[in-house]
């Protein structure tokens, strides 16, 4: 397939590499020329704009930080919609709000194109290994159409429902994640203050009813899980600022739906405090620093 790929960051670059490995013909664009150069070295073509990248493409994929970037890459003078052929599908894998997805899908429709939301979970490790989960929002036909392309980058390709339901799934999952990480942090720090060995406490939680991913895979207390970011100084994981962005998407969507998110709003304030203290680039499990007596956040 001829595929245009826009946004070669921590996630987009390894995803694009996997498309090349699967034998697709790739044309890439990013504002960061170094990121473009490493894809060109791996066999991709580069284009001077999203518009140029989209010309002749059979699929267009975007992997950008936030909705504002997707809007400019899509609708700008040199944007995708200015260059894309009719009936070509645009797949956006960025994590953005459901309302923006619906607006972009409408703009694409007016241009004769289909816009599918397909956010991912699995992190940079999953992107490199080609084992991402894609949460796809769109018609059943659109889902069937994008599935073979997404299969080169992911292991689970799930149809969530109509346009924007992929983002709904992504936002709700990360709402749970932000809350459980704060909960595990609270419990681990309390246990430490009351004098139990954190490794013993972690082991008990992980074989008891408090067990969850934030506890048994990504425990925020250093040394409890050897492979967790907490054990390597909270580096190389899912950034606090990205978690803050996702909780913002959840609380905004909840406002729109007139739906309470008591714990999500509180968790948002915790990660915001971390960000204000200059810890936005640390893995989000560093939120435990707000609880520990010797925490430096
Ligand atoms: P990133 O900041 O590493 O990469 C974004 C890329 O987009 C950069 O290379 C940047 O130069 C490029 N870009 C920005 N504006 C552009 C424009 N106008 N035109 C062309 N290129 C532009 O971000 P990331 O970690 O790759 O995340 C991308 C998306 O995936 C985000 O929405 C994020 O929330 C989501 N996500 C990230 C992870 C993760 O673990 N990092 C996991 C799941 C989902």
């Amino acid at each position: 397939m001829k595929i245009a790929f826009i946004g070669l960051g921590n996630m987009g670059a390894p995803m694009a590499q996997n498309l090349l490995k699967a034998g697709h013909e790739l044309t890439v664009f990013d504002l960061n020329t170094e990121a473009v150069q490493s894809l060109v070295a791996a066999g991709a073509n580069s284009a001077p704009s999203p518009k140029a990248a989209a010309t002749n493409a059979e699929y267009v994929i975007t992997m950008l930080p936030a909705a504002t970037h997707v809007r400019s890459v899509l609708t700008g003078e040199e944007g995708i919609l200015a260059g894309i052929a009719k009936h070509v599908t645009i797949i956006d894998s960025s994590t953005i709000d459901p309302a923006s997805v619906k607006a972009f899908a409408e703009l694409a429709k007016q241009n004769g194109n289909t816009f599918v939301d397909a956010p991912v979970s699995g992190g940079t490790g999953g992107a490199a290994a080609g084992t991402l989960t894609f949460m796809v929002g769109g018609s059943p036909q659109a889902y069937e159409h994008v599935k073979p392309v997404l299969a080169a980058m992911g292991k689970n390709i799930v149809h969530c429902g109509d346009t924007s339901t992929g983002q709904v799934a992504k936002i709700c999952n990360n709402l749970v994640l932000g809350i459980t990480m704060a909960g595990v942090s609270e419990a681990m720090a309390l246990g430490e203050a009351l004098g139990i060995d954190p490794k013993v406490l972690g082991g008990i939680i992980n074989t008891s009813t408090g067990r969850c991913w934030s506890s048994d895979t990504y425990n925020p207390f250093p040394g409890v899980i050897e492979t967790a970011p907490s054990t390597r100084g909270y580096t190389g994981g899912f950034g606090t600022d990205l978690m803050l962005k996702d909780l913002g998407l959840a609380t905004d969507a909840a406002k729109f739906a007139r739906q309470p998110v008591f714990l999500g709003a509180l968790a948002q304030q915790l990660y915001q405090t971390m960000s204000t203290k200059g810890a936005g680039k640390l893995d989000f499990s560093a939120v435990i620093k707000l609880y520990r007596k010797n925490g430096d956040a």
Side-chain angles (χ1 to χ4, degrees):
M1 286 295 177
K2 289 183 181 162
I3 302 174
F5 201 108
I6 325 271
L8 305 167
N10 291 333
M11 294 294 289
M15 289 165 70
Q17 293 277 5
N18 282 330
L19 287 171
L20 281 175
K21 279 184 208 150
H24 294 297
E25 194 182 322
L26 218 59
T27 304
V28 298
F29 176 76
D30 195 294
L31 298 176
N32 176 350
T33 48
E34 266 175 44
V36 170
Q37 280 321 311
S38 65
L39 257 297
V40 168
N45 304 305
S46 74
S49 66
K51 176 183 172 182
T55 312
N56 297 325
E58 293 166 281
Y59 292 85
V60 177
I61 303 176
T62 49
M63 190 51 165
L64 297 157
T68 146
H69 308 90
V70 180
R71 178 175 288 280
S72 69
V73 161
L74 199 60
T75 64
E77 215 168 285
E78 291 296 313
I80 293 166
L81 292 179
I84 193 170
K86 292 237 177 306
H87 307 304
V88 170
T89 298
I90 302 161
I91 305 168
D92 179 37
S93 285
S94 328
T95 303
I96 64 172
D97 61 291
S100 291
V101 170
K102 286 184 184 163
F104 298 154
E106 189 51 42
L107 287 171
K109 195 174 161 194
Q110 285 164 16
N111 203 61
N113 303 105
T114 303
F115 183 95
V116 170
D117 52 309
V120 300
S121 76
T124 48
T131 56
L132 292 170
T133 292
F134 283 90
M135 295 159 254
V136 182
S139 68
Q141 295 84 340
Y143 168 69
E144 290 302 331
H145 185 60
V146 300
K147 205 172 158 189
V149 170
L150 300 184
M153 301 178 283
K155 198 171 56 172
N156 303 311
I157 322 293
V158 183
H159 187 212
C160 298
D162 285 344
T163 304
S164 87
T165 54
Q167 295 294 355
V168 172
K170 171 72 186 171
I171 289 170
C172 290
N173 179 70
N174 280 20
L175 175 65
V176 175
L177 181 62
I179 292 168
T180 57
M181 185 56 79
V184 172
S185 295
E186 202 161 296
M188 292 300 300
L190 176 63
E192 179 189 31
L194 296 176
I196 189 172
D197 179 339
K199 279 197 175 179
V200 173
L201 177 58
I204 294 290
I205 292 173
N206 292 338
T207 51
S208 304
T209 46
R211 185 174 65 85
C212 59
W213 188 89
S214 295
S215 168
D216 72 3
T217 305
Y218 232 64
N219 198 294
F221 201 100
V224 172
I225 302 288
E226 284 310 316
T227 50
S230 57
T231 303
R232 48 173 194 267
Y234 301 98
T235 58
F238 180 55
T240 294
D241 280 341
L242 282 179
M243 174 52 84
L244 180 57
K245 180 193 80 160
D246 289 359
L247 287 172
L249 294 177
T251 53
D252 284 351
K255 211 182 294 168
F256 180 74
R258 300 270 187 277
Q259 183 65 23
V261 277
F262 304 114
L263 298 178
L266 187 55
Q268 186 183 6
Q269 291 302 312
L270 296 175
Y271 296 103
Q272 188 151 305
T273 304
M274 287 296 289
S275 190
T276 304
K277 287 173 181 281
K281 297 281 173 277
L282 294 183
D283 180 75
F284 77 113
S285 62
V287 72
I288 196 174
K289 288 171 181 271
L290 293 178
Y291 293 98
R292 294 184 69 195
K293 289 203 169 66
N294 61 353
D296 51 10

